[in-house]
Amino acid sequence: DEGNLNESELACLTQTLQPGKNLVAAGYCFYSAATELVVTFGHGVAGFTLDTDVGDYKLTRPSIEIPKRGNIYSMNQANMSQWDKPMQDYVSDLMNGKG
């Protein structure tokens, strides 16, 4: 509830909740056998892997790109029945080797 926030908290919230067009960077961390940080500043995507020996991230994938075409696809199809018809048809084609 915004009524319970002080002036500093409201200012922080206003600065944080921006439309997507105002983003200057985006990224995520993936924790697994290795810890990866993937980030973009609007021009390409780079991947960094945590070097646990020294405690910092090393650039390991300077230019991450999604291939135009792959041999496999992966998605959560649990809600496929709720997708629009063109999306259902596209995924069905992929499943049947026609995509």
Side-chain angles (χ1 to χ4, degrees), residues 46-62:
F48 300 82
T49 303
L50 179 62
D51 182 339
T52 56
D53 291 335
V54 292
D56 67 2
Y57 286 87
K58 305 292 184 194
L59 179 63
T60 52
R61 296 187 294 155

Side-chain angles (χ1 to χ4, degrees), residues 3 6 12 18 21 24 26 34 42 45-46 50 55 60 70 79 90 92-93 99:
N6 65 37
C12 179
Q18 297 278 326
K21 66 181 181 175
V24 294
V45 178
L50 179 62
T60 52
N79 297 318
Y90 175 70
S92 292
D93 284 348

Side-chain angles (χ1 to χ4, degrees), residues 4-98:
N4 296 330
L5 301 176
N6 65 37
E7 187 176 325
S8 175
E9 292 170 328
L10 279 173
C12 179
L13 194 59
T14 301
Q15 291 175 352
T16 304
L17 300 177
Q18 297 278 326
K21 66 181 181 175
N22 292 349
L23 283 176
V24 294
Y28 64 91
C29 265
F30 180 73
Y31 301 97
S32 185
T35 300
E36 288 195 49
L37 169 67
V38 178
V39 66
T40 181
F41 296 99
H43 302 285
V45 178
F48 300 82
T49 303
L50 179 62
D51 182 339
T52 56
D53 291 335
V54 292
D56 67 2
Y57 286 87
K58 305 292 184 194
L59 179 63
T60 52
R61 296 187 294 155
S63 181
I64 299 173
E65 295 182 5
I66 297 173
K68 292 183 191 245
R69 198 66 155 171
N71 295 327
I72 61 169
Y73 76 96
S74 178
M75 67 178 66
N76 182 348
Q77 293 174 239
N79 297 318
M80 189 171 172
S81 63
Q82 298 172 25
W83 300 347
D84 63 14
K85 180 82 167 106
M87 180 59 82
Q88 289 178 359
D89 292 344
Y90 175 70
V91 172
S92 292
D93 284 348
L94 288 176
M95 290 170 42
N96 294 313
K98 302 178 196 170

